[in-house]
Amino acid sequence: MCVHYAQLETKLGEIDRARAVYGHGSQMSDPRTNPSYWKTWQQFEVRHGNEDTFREMLRIKRSVQAQYNTQVNFMSAQMLTTSSKNFESTRESVDEMQLLEEQADKIAQEAKQDRERSSKGMAFVKSDEASAEMEALAKASSNPDEINLGDDEDEEQKIEEVQLEQQTVPITVYGSVRPQEGEDKTESSLGARQRMLAKKKN
């Protein structure tokens, strides 16, 4: 169904929408059981896509295949349990412990095959050599011109006292705030702190 919609969008010139339809349909198409879907998408990308879109299609294909691998293993384990129940009902003389051992052997073989498949791929392992090389590189790349700022908080820093001088401010700076002719000029020329101290004294 998705292929038909994607082809319709392609005919209408909506390449991005067709690509989105292929991406949606890919989640329901196992590459092993439905290779025609993936071949159609690959031909679409060859005709209308570029290298990045082709790589994205391959990435989606790998992720869907990995998803179906885990589901297949789960489903096969379920099928084994149901088939063992059917087998048990037909042959009641078979020992239950023997059936469980057979099932365990089959599951162990499947797990071993999965491990062999995954070991063929690239695996990342942390090595002691790499960490030692990184430490040596960090030491070598330290800055020789670095200024050593003392972290000693015990040293008391001497604070120099600054002597402040009082200067008169030109009257034009005050603008409309300057004292009017009838006001006390001595009080208005004082700073806020000095005025407060003068009020406390009064």
Side-chain angles (χ1 to χ4, degrees), residues 166-196:
Q166 275 191 332
Q167 294 183 352
T168 58
V169 179
I171 209 106
T172 56
V173 170
Y174 291 113
S176 64
V177 186
R178 72 175 179 222
Q180 301 298 325
E181 293 179 11
E183 294 180 11
D184 184 14
K185 293 184 181 179
T186 58
E187 190 174 312
S188 63
S189 64
L190 297 175
R193 183 168 186 246
Q194 293 172 341
R195 283 195 306 264
M196 286 177 61

Side-chain angles (χ1 to χ4, degrees), residues 16 26 31 33 87-88 103 106 110 120-121 133 137 152 170 172-173 178 189-190:
D16 291 334
S26 67
T33 60
F87 183 71
E88 209 173 71
Q103 289 177 356
K106 288 179 182 178
E110 288 178 3
K120 291 179 184 176
E133 288 176 8
L137 184 62
D152 298 332
T172 56
V173 170
R178 72 175 179 222
S189 64
L190 297 175

Side-chain angles (χ1 to χ4, degrees), residues 52-63:
D52 292 334
T53 58
F54 191 81
R55 283 184 181 169
E56 180 69 14
M57 184 264 305
L58 292 176
R59 184 193 66 77
I60 292 172
K61 183 178 181 180
R62 285 191 302 269
S63 68

